[in-house]
Amino acid sequence: MKTEMRSKRFERLRQRDINKEVFVSEMPELGLIVMDSPGDPKPSLEIRDGRIVEMDGRAEAEFDAIDRFIAKHGINLAHAPEAMAMGSLEIARMLVDIHVPQRQVMQVFSGLSPAMIAEVMSHLNVVEMMMAMQKMRQRKRPADQAHVTNWKENPALVAADAAEAGLRGFAEGETTVRVARMAPFSALALLVGAQVGRPGMMTQISCEEALNLRLAMKGLATYAETLSVYGTIPSFLDGDDTPWSKGILASAYASRGVKSRFTSGSGSEALMGYGMGFSMLYLEIRCLLMVKGAGSQGVQNGSISCIALPESLPNGVRGVMAENLVAAALGLEVASGNDAMSSHSQMRKTAKLMLQMLPGTDFVTSGHSVMPRKDNLFGGGNFDAEDMDDWLVIQRDMQVDTGLKPVREAEVLAVRRRAASAIQAVFREMGFPAITEAEVEAATTAFCSDDMPDRDSIADLAAADAFLESDLTALDVVAALARSGFEEVAENVLEMQRQRVLGDYLHTSAVFDQEFNVQSAVNTPNDYRGPGTGYRVEGKVWDDIRALPQAIDPHALVEGEAPDPGLDLAPLDRATAGDGAEVVVALGPAFASVMNKTLAGLSHADVLRAVLDGIEGEGVPWRVFKVWHGADLADIGLSGARLCGSGIGIGLQSKGTALIHKKGLAPLNNLELLSMAPNLTLESYRALGRNAACYATGRAPAPVPMKVDNMARLRLIVHTTLLHHREVRQIDKARGVEEMKVTFR
């Protein structure tokens, strides 16, 4: 029986992280289709006597509860006739046309039916969606939200991580719980820690909605985004909700000065078994029109915890970007997902992120974990503490701003210690189970909750229950902080309560700066109208983004360079051509004079000695020249070969790159090239000398083996550039080529 042939490359590809994912073909009847399902309705809208009597092919008598809610609250009837009369392609082009203002596009979208919005999105590719998002984002400057949780639910660690998140620039922080009864203490620790790290950082506790509201009423949370909506009625009923009950809940939050976002996202209905043959995007648009109709400031969307489902299908990431864009075009604040684990592949995760990061959304993630993934109680974050440096470098690479900035280790340690000490004081003053000094110390330096001492969870839960049922509020927290010497933190927590009374941060896309000034779509609207307009990353923001702690002063890379103390090169007469079997070694103009070692850290004296030893070992004489008229390796080597009696020359750049050249060859051709200077050893140079001697006497040696390191360029290209620049500066065309007397000290 013939054995089936298998490709070793395909076998290796099958082991790649990307192939741990599940990819499926579309199955529209189950809702397993991201956009343009054959089951999606065709756009239509009929208005009679000030009410919608037909929408997307369904008469009013056939409306389900979602249709009725959208028809009554989600569509602006004043703009609907004109908007629906436009072509969907014309509207799509308005989105990317820099001459059409954001407000004009929003006016059109306010009058569109769900199916019409879906048809508009079908015309846009992802680049066009990114162009549109840059214009349609509601607040001028993007921001980001942090996830702050830990497996042990240790309040000192929650506070320390919240403080670090604030210091890094996160405008919001969200926590959740492993044990529901710990919610009061987690919310308290998040509030206190956040106000240590960044005055004005808004916080929320993700838990059951009634409990969430109770904690907000105590002043322990300033926003909420757990109000889930779905695009089919059976999905809604599974959650014991309706569009109206969600709207009432949003009003309950707003009436108590708590900002709220709804949560939706492609794939939830199909996941729950109620996709009903519609595309994920069409159902998400229904959700977004409900959010708009309920009067919420915004939405957390982008598939969120269902992200792996649309990503298993064609168009998955494009559909996610489309739902983000639709939300912005409807005038909603957008926290654009990127929080739940979306892929095993780092490349794929980052590619998805770029759709929101580059144009900027109100919150680029609805949770970038400031802890390691194992401590993320939201089910494992897409990006976590170990990705932070990568994130900051991408900002710097592309001159984009997500609200985050580089931080120094010393300032992080200081703010973490202060936050842990502050929550320790609150627990002491309010009679909660003590937070020990050991916990404060551990929280200051911890990598994850494994580094934290265990607490008495039974005592903590009993105290959290009592705190929830008591009359204690955030004002008691303020008093506890003030009594303990944390006056500044107390003032910040108190100011958050005052801002709830003022209610200015209930505006769309509202965040605080560190002076508690509200920045929202109302007073800092996005005014992008093409190049040179809108938010530009410049001034202090750009200075902060580009000042990475790990950025090196380029001068430091070449400090200490000087003549090689182990080698003296003294000019003889001007270069003359030789005869017979010899090898000429030609050196770069900085060799052993203003430079003394190669990229591999080998001294020039040792390198030249090794080369000459190799030549002498084959019984061949040598001469050494300095090439002053250029720094190019091919030119150096060929210049030596032309002066050599055998026509064989070795070229040595000062940074260590070397070759064997032959008279008569084209400059960029050669006999052997040792291009990987960081990997060369003295034996490499000795072998190079031997081979050159062989060529000079008519023998054909085996090429010098080269270790190839494809990552060396990443590590050393800056150092290489600076060293070569130093070589170039020593060029003296008037000196041409000089023969050198070699003395080893």
Side-chain angles (χ1 to χ4, degrees):
M1 181 176 178
K2 187 177 180 180
T3 303
E4 182 184 2
M5 185 178 293
R6 303 301 296 267
S7 163
K8 291 182 173 61
R9 292 186 181 179
F10 272 75
E11 178 59 33
R12 185 62 61 90
L13 285 173
R14 281 190 284 271
Q15 297 170 17
R16 295 279 295 175
D17 283 347
I18 190 66
N19 288 315
K20 296 176 183 176
E21 326 267 273
V22 175
F23 302 100
V24 296
S25 302
E26 294 168 331
M27 194 174 183
E29 62 270 27
L30 295 186
L32 292 177
I33 182 169
V34 177
M35 300 175 69
D36 304 316
S37 171
D40 286 349
K42 300 299 181 185
S44 64
L45 197 72
E46 183 180 347
I47 302 172
R48 190 182 306 149
D49 298 328
R51 60 188 293 163
I52 295 174
V53 297
E54 187 272 343
M55 181 171 66
D56 295 337
R58 287 191 291 274
E60 186 178 16
E62 301 172 308
F63 285 178
D64 62 17
I66 296 173
D67 292 324
R68 290 198 300 274
F69 190 86
I70 291 172
K72 186 171 181 61
H73 302 291
I75 297 176
N76 188 325
L77 300 189
H79 300 307
E82 181 180 357
M84 290 296 293
M86 299 174 68
S88 59
L89 182 58
E90 178 186 0
I91 299 171
R93 289 174 174 169
M94 291 175 68
L95 279 166
V96 298
D97 188 341
I98 62 174
H99 302 102
V100 179
Q102 180 204 68
R103 295 293 160 181
Q104 184 178 341
V105 179
M106 287 171 56
Q107 180 174 300
V108 171
F109 266 76
S110 74
L112 299 180
S113 71
M116 185 62 153
I117 294 175
E119 189 173 290
V120 170
M121 291 298 114
S122 72
H123 295 300
L124 300 171
N125 63 34
V126 292
V127 176
E128 291 159 347
M129 290 179 187
M130 292 168 73
M131 293 167 62
M133 179 59 83
Q134 187 167 227
K135 177 170 76 174
M136 300 312 299
R137 179 182 71 246
Q138 292 299 297
R139 186 178 60 249
K140 187 166 187 171
R141 182 181 179 185
D144 209 357
Q145 178 194 113
H147 276 166
V148 185
T149 66
N150 67 78
W151 182 254
K152 290 187 176 180
E153 299 189 298
N154 187 293
L157 186 55
V158 170
D161 281 334
E164 181 176 340
L167 183 68
R168 288 183 177 276
F170 286 98
E172 292 184 347
E174 177 186 18
T175 191
T176 191
V177 286
R178 183 167 59 92
V179 179
R181 290 164 57 200
M182 276 297 292
F185 279 176
S186 293
L188 172 60
L190 180 67
L191 171 67
V192 171
Q195 296 314 308
V196 172
R198 184 183 187 275
M201 180 177 172
M202 290 193 283
T203 60
Q204 70 149 324
I205 171 74
S206 179
C207 57
E208 189 275 327
E209 289 174 352
L211 176 58
N212 198 342
L213 184 56
R214 289 181 69 187
L215 294 171
M217 291 171 64
K218 277 183 171 286
L220 302 180
T222 43
Y223 76 101
E225 61 179 12
T226 56
L227 292 75
S228 300
V229 286
Y230 304 97
T232 60
I233 287 299
S235 300
F236 248 129
L237 295 180
D238 262 10
D240 296 324
D241 278 308
T242 71
W244 281 269
S245 65
K246 292 294 186 179
I248 292 169
L249 183 57
S251 298
Y253 278 110
S255 68
R256 288 155 177 82
V258 179
K259 175 184 174 181
S260 67
R261 280 194 293 268
F262 281 41
T263 294
S264 60
S266 295
S268 59
E269 298 86 4
L271 184 67
M272 297 168 74
Y274 300 118
M276 299 175 66
F278 297 114
S279 70
M280 295 177 181
L281 180 60
Y282 170 72
L283 294 181
E284 171 62 8
I285 291 168
R286 281 161 60 92
C287 292
L288 294 172
L289 287 170
M290 282 187 279
V291 175
K292 182 72 173 175
S296 177
Q297 294 100 321
V299 65
Q300 172 189 216
N301 78 342
S303 196
I304 312 301
S305 56
C306 300
I307 184 60
L309 189 57
E311 282 196 328
S312 71
L313 295 158
N315 261 330
V317 174
R318 176 175 170 241
V320 167
M321 183 60 190
E323 63 175 274
N324 294 152
L325 176 57
V326 170
L330 290 172
L332 297 170
E333 168 184 284
V334 179
S336 53
N338 291 309
D339 58 341
M341 180 63 71
S342 65
S343 179
H344 295 85
S345 163
Q346 298 300 315
M347 181 186 294
R348 193 183 191 204
K349 284 200 314 179
T350 305
K352 174 184 177 293
L353 168 69
M354 292 299 99
L355 303 190
Q356 293 82 21
M357 187 182 200
L358 296 186
T361 58
D362 294 306
F363 296 94
V364 175
T365 76
S366 48
H368 184 310
S369 173
V370 295
M371 320 77 56
R373 185 163 292 120
K374 68 176 297 180
D375 267 336
N376 192 325
L377 299 179
F378 287 96
N382 210 28
F383 299 99
D384 60 37
E386 294 176 81
D387 300 310
M388 194 64 72
D389 283 355
D390 304 63
W391 184 287
L392 295 170
V393 169
I394 291 172
Q395 286 192 151
R396 184 180 189 257
D397 285 343
M398 303 191 185
Q399 198 168 354
V400 298
D401 177 22
T402 64
L404 306 190
K405 62 181 182 180
V407 293
R408 270 58 182 173
E409 184 176 6
E411 59 184 346
V412 168
L413 290 171
V415 80
R416 290 180 67 91
R417 181 183 298 279
R418 183 162 174 77
S421 298
I423 195 65
Q424 177 191 44
V426 170
F427 268 50
R428 182 181 63 247
E429 292 291 325
M430 298 183 71
F432 302 150
I435 295 173
T436 66
E437 283 298 321
E439 288 177 90
V440 171
E441 288 299 314
T444 301
T445 60
F447 173 71
C448 67
S449 60
D450 290 346
D451 301 317
M452 298 298 297
D454 291 329
R455 288 180 60 81
D456 184 343
S457 59
I458 295 175
D460 278 346
L461 290 171
D465 289 341
F467 178 36
L468 180 64
E469 298 302 328
S470 73
D471 293 332
L472 296 172
T473 69
L475 294 181
D476 297 285
V477 176
V478 171
L481 288 165
R483 287 195 302 269
S484 305
F486 292 92
E487 290 87 356
E488 183 180 349
V489 185
E491 290 174 2
N492 292 340
V493 175
L494 180 60
E495 183 61 25
M496 291 302 296
Q497 311 310 308
R498 192 177 80 88
Q499 291 293 336
R500 285 183 55 179
V501 176
L502 296 175
D504 284 348
Y505 72 85
L506 298 183
H507 290 304
T508 299
S509 303
V511 295
F512 290 112
D513 64 18
Q514 294 195 49
E515 285 73 45
F516 289 92
N517 299 309
V518 172
Q519 298 178 344
S520 72
V522 174
N523 64 347
T524 56
N526 182 11
D527 56 357
Y528 179 78
R529 292 287 298 275
T533 67
Y535 179 60
R536 297 281 152 175
V537 183
E538 55 194 7
K540 186 179 185 306
V541 172
W542 176 230
D543 289 342
D544 288 343
I545 287 173
R546 61 184 174 178
L548 297 176
Q550 62 268 43
I552 302 169
D553 180 352
H555 295 92
L557 291 173
V558 290
E559 277 182 1
E561 295 286 358
D564 193 321
L567 175 63
D568 183 61
L569 298 173
L572 298 173
D573 295 332
R574 290 187 66 84
T576 58
D579 54 27
E582 65 170 355
V583 174
V584 165
V585 180
L587 308 175
F591 196 94
S593 54
V594 298
M595 293 169 61
N596 58 47
K597 60 181 180 291
T598 70
L599 277 169
L602 303 175
S603 77
H604 284 176
D606 289 343
V607 168
L608 184 57
R609 180 72 272 173
V611 171
L612 299 182
D613 283 348
I615 298 170
E616 291 172 352
E618 297 297 319
V620 174
W622 50 262
R623 290 189 293 159
V624 173
F625 291 81
K626 258 214 177 185
V627 176
W628 293 99
H629 59 65
D632 176 73
L633 179 61
D635 180 55
I636 293 169
L638 191 54
S639 296
R642 287 168 176 164
L643 292 167
C644 184
S646 67
I648 300 299
I650 291 176
L652 272 178
Q653 278 183 326
S654 299
K655 60 185 175 63
T657 313
L659 56 65
I660 304 175
H661 224 309
K662 182 178 180 179
K663 182 170 64 175
L665 292 179
L668 296 184
N669 196 3
N670 55 68
L671 297 178
E672 293 189 40
L673 173 64
L674 301 187
S675 60
M676 302 293 287
N679 297 331
L680 299 181
T681 65
L682 292 178
E683 179 53 36
S684 304
Y685 291 109
R686 193 171 293 112
L688 192 73
R690 287 196 298 268
N691 281 12
C694 289
Y695 291 121
T697 54
R699 291 172 287 164
V704 177
M706 267 291 301
K707 178 184 175 184
V708 176
D709 180 358
N710 293 321
M711 306 305 285
R713 183 178 288 111
L714 289 175
R715 298 194 311 274
L716 296 167
I717 194 167
V718 175
H719 200 176
T720 301
T721 300
L722 294 169
L723 292 179
H724 190 63
H725 180 66
R726 178 166 285 193
E727 183 116 271
V728 167
R729 289 191 314 184
Q730 302 307 308
I731 292 174
D732 186 347
K733 292 184 181 296
R735 296 179 69 174
V737 181
E738 294 178 341
E739 187 170 357
M740 312 301 288
K741 178 183 178 182
V742 179
T743 303
F744 293 101
R745 299 195 182 98

